[in-house]
Amino acid sequence: MTHPRGFLQIGKKKERERDPQERARDWLEITLPGSSDEVREQATRCMDCGVPFCHRGCPLGNLIPEWNELVSEGRVEDAAVRLAATNNFPEITGRVCPAPCEASCVLALEEQSVTIKTIERTIADAELVRGLVPRPSPHRTGKSVAVVGSGPAGLAAAQELARSGHDVTVFERDDRIGGLLRYGIPDFKLDKTSLDARLAQMRDEGVVFRARTSPSKDDLAPFDAIILAIGARRPRDLAVPGRELAGVHFAMEYLEQQNRAVAGDPVEAQIVATGKRVVVIGGGDTGSDCVGTAIRQGAKSIVQLEIMARPGDARGAKNPWPEWPLVLRTSSSHEEAAATGALGREFAIATSGFVGEGSVRALAATRLDTKEDIEIPCDLVLLAMGFVGPEPDLATSLGCELDARGNVRVGADQRTSVENVFSAGDASRGQSLVVWAIADGRRAATAVHALICSKR
Amino acid sequence: MCGLGFIAEINGNPSHDLVDKGLEILKRLAHRGAAGSDPESGDGAGILLQIPHAFFQHELERRIEKELPLPGDYGVIQCFLSRDKARCQKQMRIVESVVRYHNQIVIGWRDVPVDPSVLGPLANGSRPTMKQLFVARVAPVQHFERTLFMIRKRAGRLVLQQAPDEDFYIASCSSKTIVYKGLALPEKLAAFYGDLADPNVRTSIAVVHSRFSTNTFPTWQRAHPYRLIAHNGEINTLRGNQTWMGAREALLESPAFAEHIADFKPIIRPGGSDSASLDNVVDFLVASGRPLPHVMMMLVPEAWSAQVEMSRDKRAFYEYHAALVEPWDGPAALVFSDGNLVGATLDRNGLRPAKYVVTKSGLVVMASELGVLDFEPEDVLEKGRLNPGKMLLVDVAKKTIVTDDEIKREMASRQPYETWVEENKIDLASLPTLPKTPMPKEERETLERAFGYSRELVRVVLGPMATKGEEPTGSMGNDTALAVLSDRPQPLFRYFKQQFAQVTNPPIDPIREELVMSLTSCVGGEGNLLGETPRQCRMLELPHPILTNDDMTRLDTSGLPDFRVARVASLFEASGGEEALSAGLEELCAAAIAAVSEGASIVVISDRGVTKERAAIPSLLACSAVHHALIRAGKRMRCGIVVESAEPREVTDVALLIGFGAGAVNPYLAMEIASELGSEKNYVKALKKGLLKILAKMGISALSSYQGAQIFEAIGISEGVIERYFPGTASRLSGIGLGEIAREALLRHSGAYAEGVYAWRAEGERHAWSPDAIAKLQRAVRAEDSESYEEFAKIVNEGPHVNLRSLWDLQSSRPPVPIDQVEPANVIVRRFATGAMSFGSISKEAHENLAIAMNRIGGKSNSGEGGEDAERYGTDRRSAIKQVASARFGVTTHYLASADELQIKIAQGAKPGEGGQLPGHKVDEVIARVRHATPGVTLISPPPHHDIYSIEDLAQLVFDLKCVNPRARVSVKLVSESGVGTVAAGVVKAHADSVHVAGHDGGTGASPLSSIHHAGTPWELGLAETQQVLVSSGLRSRARVQIDGQLKTGRDVAFAALLGAEEFGFATAPLIASGCVMMRKCHLNTCPVGIATQDPVLRARFRGTPEHVVRYFFYVAEELRAIMAGLGFRTVDEMVGRTQHIVPKAIQGEGLGAEKARALDFGDVLQAPDEDQPLRCTTKAAQLQPSELDERILDEARLSLKYREPTTMRVSVTNADRAIGARLAGEIARVYGELGLPDGTITIEATGTAGQSFGAFAAKGMLVVLEGDANDYVGKGLSGGIIAALPPRRSKFRACDNVIVGNTVLYGATSGKAFFAGRAGERFAVRNSGATVVVEGVGDHACEYMTGGTVVVLGSAGRNFAAGMSGGVAYVFDPSNELALNEATELERAPLDAEDVEIVRGLVEEHVQYTRSTRGAALLADFATAQRRFVRVVPLEYKRALAKKQASESAPPAFGGSETA
């Protein structure tokens, strides 16, 4: 803490974003790189708390006050080293993390949290500009590990293990490496070049990637340990009349196609919102991503439905700091929609069915507060109601137990019921944040390392 | 601890009158001694006389029909013998045989007549048989005393071998002196020993002593005087002195003792008190042929380091002897006598009082107090006090008084010490060195990992040291796990906690009183203590014990042929475990012994050369092991030890190495890092400062006495390891052995060298206050969510092991009771108190919030040490507990009178033994007003209470407070450490109503990090010890026990109650309930939640309410009730002290933490109580009888109190009349508040010698005039009253040359005036914040820490004037420009300006008016000349603050005004 009174003298400055009207017309990232002076000044607002509540928020235990101090001293390169000590992919979390750290920052008591995420991203971007330097292990252990799934959990585990000198192979059933990072998050939130740079670094550190491969039990047998990081890809469905109508799609199907399109791949029969009346069911991040994508595709109108009541604008008495604030959130996509006048957000709406012949024409629903039945005309419905669990086949074939919710059952060190099989990320945790996936992956790597090193 | 004195007839004419006078002195000092649970058994009293020849001649002829030789031709052995008849006979035979063995003649035994009926049952139960053996001289007369010494030593040894017994003891054995002593009350001593009443018992010397035992249990043997000395004080460095003396035994040689020397070993008899041990050494050195004053000078030297003015030969004397023997350090007033000489000396600090009177009729009386004998005023020739480090001697054989100068000049010229020192001492700086090359980065980083340097350590600890030369500061206490509970490998250092002084001796202020401190270290081999040759000071003399890497090169390449440096490798096989470490230690010790045998003068224990295969032995273990192995081999004194290690980095680490024997330390890795971060020089500076602080908090001045003194307490190291490698170290909790120590060392080591593992990185330690715990608690109190409290309690109670209680379970064989039968929560919460947090350290909003909450539930809030705004008195915002701390901020009579409980804060958990500092930027208008200070000026709290240097002083303060407010309970706050139980017993004997034991981990304010983390012990240990000692000494029923230290939950309270506490203090938790988020930035004034800040913007952010705090306490109480129901207790009272309901948990799991936790043995801590004794306080507050005189004064003032009518009364006083006027002052404040009565409403005219605390807390409206003189603490806490003291009209001495008032006068005065026609002692007007005073001369340290008021000194002032003074003004008459100002304080010294002249003249006129001062009158007679000889002393910070204030208000400056309050 270089400036004890910084937080009193310097106000919070949020991350700068491109104009909503402008950005809604392209697929480029919406945030602008911060000016380094401004970020440096913002970093001096950190109080280096005796009890760093930001750590409570961050599953990775990022050493936030430490790198804040380094940034405030202008030592961005040193800050990157401290950041890398706990976080394998700060360029990703610096973009897509909802930043629970900021919610629990002591300055958030007065709603003036340190802009931790922006600082993190600034550190990470500077590193990307310098070029990510591979840190291969100077020696090899001769042990091999299979990581199934190349989302954030799998990649984090793979990188840690490779750096410890093990031979790591990452299997991915899709055509490109990255899992949800690649096809789940729209490009306007996460430009894929940073992911590619990271993967290149990992290759140089010795990780072998095998895309378009779904390994079987036998394929995995030769490995000393296996990490299942297969995600929780089964979407929650809506069993109502009319579900079968054309124009009703899962959000992930819709988002993935657009990501491929941006990547330059030909996409056959792409679902597009252009000129359509769109309804997005689900008020979470995926829902928001659908809204942002639909706007960019030129939707005629968009309505987003949420089954829960509208949260308040400020914390309630039963939701004190440093808990995650249960308040109404306005995402960047909402801002764009508001700017283009395309959005309606509705709360406490339960969908009762879809109306139409062959393809959907309208959505039937009930307002939970007034019990009023309504109908919303629409041409495209996107289901963004979350995920119910992993696709279980590989796990069960390996003999792993599942828990009551259908996730792979693991202990505190991510170990499954089978001795050398581990699981990390959404596959064992259920649908969650990227930071949790990275944290799980790192934990799994530590446990795998301990296990295979103990067997000489 | 105690009262002592002597009386001598200069002409050496023996008389019985002198015996009576001696006994009278004893009686008049009775209030300085103590009695235990049995009021008839004293702690000890005694008298030393010359052999009363006429009496013995008569007695022997009459009783045993033997004839005595001439005086001097026989000796008397005063024996305490076995109570068992047969054994007694056997012991007598042994003594006789020894007399014959030494070729002297046994004359016969005489039974000492005693009257046991005057003893209490405790004393009588342990009363030995008492007999005197008369021995006729055969030896040449000049050797007879030595022969008697040899007889005593051999007899002691043989009895121990052949008829051992706790009774056997030889009180004296001399042809010149005899000692009568024991456990009689001082006033009963003569009734017990019939001899003393016999008119034939005549003497010209009497030494007397009355004991207040605090560091050991009272026994017959431990009464004073010993054979040569009587002692008031405490030797803090005892452990080291004993060890070094033991080590020297191997080298002792003397023709005087020849082969008998074996009989003397050990020189220091085990089991004796500190005083007894010192007597053993004095006795031995005197017998070997050194004169008694010489011995006193070498063992208790005055301060002689560079900044002290001293003649060259005297300095050389001390420097030479510093190479021979370390000082016996600690507060000491010593009286000594060999029968011809009688004298007294004070240690370098002079904190024990020693006052003397010389009469025209030829008597010299020296005692702890003035007025112990009455003399006609015209008979008094001189009244004085002994200055720090000085000696007073009466030689009755030569019929003369010898002054300090004369004795010391004589001793210093015995040998050419100066030449010896010049020719032999080695100055390291003068040796050549090679250019330095920094360590390669890679190597440094590997070593950092191998030795467990975390980034946090480098950043938080080493950073500030290397860049600013300062130890880092932190706040909010320590909530990390004890080392023995930590999952992470800990340096062995972390298992040791610093010890510190509380009550029994005062800590020192090493900054403001630097002149007594010394870090000088002599490294090398010593010679034979009994010899006196130049060769003995052939040593390396270091200005401080820290060696840089360059210094090491100098040592290695010194090339001095007669001063060899040998390196021994402190490494062990990294592939092994316990055996490898053990073998490594063996090898190391063997190598060290071999090196010394081959003539090495310095052994360097080095861990340079760590490799993958060879790990470093923990440096502390290596150092202590070698130190003790060399002692056992009889070779320790032939060499010095230097530790060269990468491990030590913090101040405590270096202190530990020195404490366990090292003479110097080279922390080579930390040095490298420091040069990288800042500079080596800064780092060394920070270490030096820190070391001084650690010494000072124990009350030790000289590093040489600290070396090897082992003033640390181990927590969680096995008995086996302690015994083998750290013998003698305090340890109340046995734990890990060599196996775990090796494992910890190797975990770090392998982290640095292993391959394929993630880089080992020290991550944060576990903290008890996790974000989750804070969040849950805040949610609970804000949302009224009891479930959230339960989650909080679960996190705390079932979370990771961070404290001892987390390793315990509750159990009960009692049937559970239904919860509705358990006393209700609103009854339980009355036992709760909030911690002492000063207004100033926390904001008004936060402070009052706690007070309102506690008043609402009937608990107590604590004002802390910053005073309390008077407008809060009597409202719901008041604090029931008002603290009296060392700085006495805002401690007015009104403040005291409005308290329910007055708490004397001896120490605080976060920084025991240290003073605090409130930075100027936190002192705003309101705080300044409440503290009687100036806005913007830094406030310093002294480390000690300057009216508590000893336990009898504490008793005095308890008495003072009870006088001023008889309705308040008085409590004493201590900090948990080994030995706290004995101190607590002393506190109870001092009549406190409550003992507060604080844990080491608490603390809300700012403190140096090393104190937060490395001093004090968990309250579990301190409380267990306190309870055990109080119960076993029968004192528990007399006082309540309160504890604090990170209490959080009902379960914590349950453990505290079962361990023996009946009241419970909480500080951090209620603050968290009020919104604190543990920023730990209290010291920066930037608290973001408006608690620890005075910034109005931040204060506005405070969101706490009293309800939050109330809810928290009720949740705790409800949790406790559920536990009580389960255990089968209906009330907390039933639970107190039922230790049997606590059982250690079975620790599950693997890992380092669990393994270490399993090694702990709680046997001592969880001892089942003695159910026959009361386990809790069963008496009401101890009603102390105020003096009859004070009651009478109050009575006579009734009319004035009621109708404000003027009253004048006349009283006569003696030194037994203490705190005169305090009772009345309290009443005035109670009725009239701060404003008091109009000046001069009540006049008290007293005559005589007043006891301590004369005029204490005198309130406005009181005028107290004393014709005579007074002891210490006159006008303590003066609050608007006027005090004057003048010599008796008939006295003939020059008033301005004689002492009229004692030490520490006007301590903490806040307003009022005082005029003294005579000199005052040390620390005049210390912490004065508003009184106006005139005095005719002062001792050392006058105006120390003064923050306001005006002091005029019309005569000379001692050393160190105005140390730490930050406000007010002093005028000193200094015609020859001698005034020695403290150098560490920024002061302006200027001639008087016109305004000053008016002020001074006005005050001198007032002085003459009140005291008839001839001195004052003489100055006024030619004031035009006189005014030019005055200097004005003003602190610069104060001047600047006033100028600033003036600029903003354009008002005239306040200083110089008579009443700035």
Side-chain angles (χ1 to χ4, degrees), chain A residues 5 48 50 66 69 318, chain B residues 455 459 779 1079 1081 1095:
Chain A
R5 299 181 65 79
D48 187 19
E66 278 190 41
E69 179 176 337
K318 303 274 182 187
Chain B
R455 211 190 108 82
R459 194 172 76 107
R779 184 192 167 86
M1079 283 298 295
K1081 295 288 176 289
D1095 182 331

Side-chain angles (χ1 to χ4, degrees), chain B residues 1070-1085:
Chain B
L1071 277 190
I1072 285 176
S1074 316
C1076 167
V1077 289
M1078 298 282 284
M1079 283 298 295
R1080 297 180 188 268
K1081 295 288 176 289
C1082 314
H1083 51 296
L1084 295 178
N1085 205 22

